[in-house]
Amino acid sequence: MSEPKLVPPGQGWTVVDVGESDTTVYCRGNVYAKCCAAPGVAELSAERDRISWLSGTGVPGATVMDWSESDEGACLLTSAVPGVRGDLLPSSSHERAMWSLGRVLRELHSLEGCPFERPLAEVIATAADVVRRGAVNSQFLTDEWRRVPPEELLAEVVAESAYVEKVLEPVVCHGDACLPNIFFDPDTLEVTGLIDLGRLGIADRYADLALTTIQLHDEWSADPAPFLQAYGVPDPDPRRLHFFRLLDPLTWG
Ligand SMILES: Nc1ncnc2c1ncn2[C@@H]1O[C@H](COP(=O)(O)OP(=O)(O)O)[C@@H](O)[C@H]1O
Ligand SMILES: [Mg+2]
């Protein structure tokens, strides 16, 4: 049973999204509110700090407008990112959008001085905890992976992690670089902003490349080649793509 959700201060808010985690997103005019009950406060404040940090860089995103916290939970108010969510762009826009997305992801990955880390060992520990609790959300798994016990999927991740650690390329990753978290100008198809930054931190560049490319394939039925070309890794390492695609669905729950 999920706990009662906190509502943002004031009137006139519309519910936009009830998230997988303990959060509910509301909208009013040009402001979004992400609210959570008490158990989610640490995670939401971590997201607030990441949004603040990114807004001081050249990479587009939202800005933090307000933060309120009580014994019941917390609410984070951010400015609305203009444009259209990536998953809602028409197919005629996909190719151009892939070029700008590749450039912006490269820009994000090139930032320096990021105070947030997302070490692989911690992510794997989170996955191990989700698996141990039997909390893996099978909606996030492919048909093939759904037929395999989650313990076996985790064992594959653990076995492959030695390789990934050996070739690690730490950069500032978004951490959930999927299309509903990326906005585009519908005319120019430039990226207007990145949102949902709770997992932003220094990690292997393939943590983002793996999720974005599989989303381009699954959501847009697109060959991600233009994205990879614009990003500057036209021939990605298939082993690391596979690794992070397998790891990610085990970390939600
Ligand atoms: N600052 C924002 N600007 C524009 N849309 C937003 C903003 N914040 C949230 N949204 C909308 O709400 C949805 C859910 O917010 P998000 O932060 O991605 O939460 P979740 O963790 O549930 O995915 C987004 O996909 C987007 O449509
Ligand atoms: Mg999101």
Side-chain angles (χ1 to χ4, degrees):
M1 265 276 284
S2 64
E3 308 215 4
K5 303 279 197 304
L6 212 74
V7 292
Q11 309 284 310
W13 294 96
T14 309
V15 174
V16 182
D17 182 76
V18 180
E20 289 301 328
S21 51
D22 238 356
T23 60
T24 304
V25 177
Y26 303 81
C27 178
R28 186 176 71 185
N30 281 334
V31 181
Y32 278 82
K34 200 170 192 176
C35 301
C36 67
V41 172
E43 216 169 288
L44 194 59
S45 69
E47 178 165 359
R48 174 201 61 198
D49 295 346
R50 285 159 174 77
I51 296 169
S52 288
W53 180 77
L54 191 72
S55 66
T57 71
V59 174
T63 55
V64 174
M65 301 185 69
D66 195 25
W67 168 260
S68 54
E69 191 179 331
S70 70
D71 289 348
E72 274 83 63
C75 270
L76 168 65
L77 268 52
T78 60
S79 61
V81 169
V84 177
R85 266 168 51 165
D87 56 319
L88 303 178
L89 279 181
S91 53
S92 55
S93 303
H94 291 172
E95 169 133 11
R96 275 169 68 204
M98 279 198 272
W99 283 96
S100 52
L101 178 53
R103 285 194 300 270
V104 166
L105 208 64
R106 167 62 77 171
E107 222 182 288
L108 173 72
H109 287 185
S110 305
L111 292 175
E112 289 183 359
C114 176
F116 311 109
E117 307 245 355
R118 195 160 176 256
L120 187 54
E122 272 178 29
V123 181
I124 293 175
T126 300
D129 180 57
V130 172
V131 170
R132 188 184 48 75
R133 289 187 284 108
V136 175
N137 184 340
S138 61
Q139 264 182 301
F140 297 154
L141 298 172
T142 63
D143 290 344
E144 186 192 338
W145 290 340
R146 223 170 279 142
R147 287 193 288 271
V148 180
E151 291 76 12
E152 277 180 36
L153 299 176
L154 179 67
E156 185 183 337
V157 164
V158 171
E160 272 296 275
S161 63
Y163 165 73
V164 177
E165 291 280 16
K166 207 169 61 194
V167 295
L168 209 70
E169 294 176 88
V171 298
V172 180
C173 281
H174 178 284
D176 190 18
C178 58
L179 291 167
N181 294 334
I182 303 163
F183 283 66
F184 295 85
D185 181 309
D187 300 318
T188 64
L189 296 171
E190 290 300 319
V191 173
T192 51
L194 307 175
I195 64 160
D196 205 357
L197 304 183
R199 294 182 167 204
L200 181 144
I202 296 173
D204 186 73
R205 69 173 80 251
Y206 279 81
D208 280 349
L209 292 180
L211 292 198
T212 306
T213 50
I214 199 66
Q215 277 263 303
L216 296 174
H217 178 269
D218 291 351
E219 294 287 320
W220 288 0
S221 305
D223 174 352
F227 162 76
L228 289 164
Q229 187 85 38
Y231 178 83
V233 177
D235 295 306
D237 174 0
R239 212 167 149 182
R240 270 189 285 171
L241 290 177
H242 176 80
F243 174 84
F244 284 104
R245 284 173 194 161
L246 182 55
L247 173 57
D248 183 73
L250 305 180
T251 62
W252 302 97

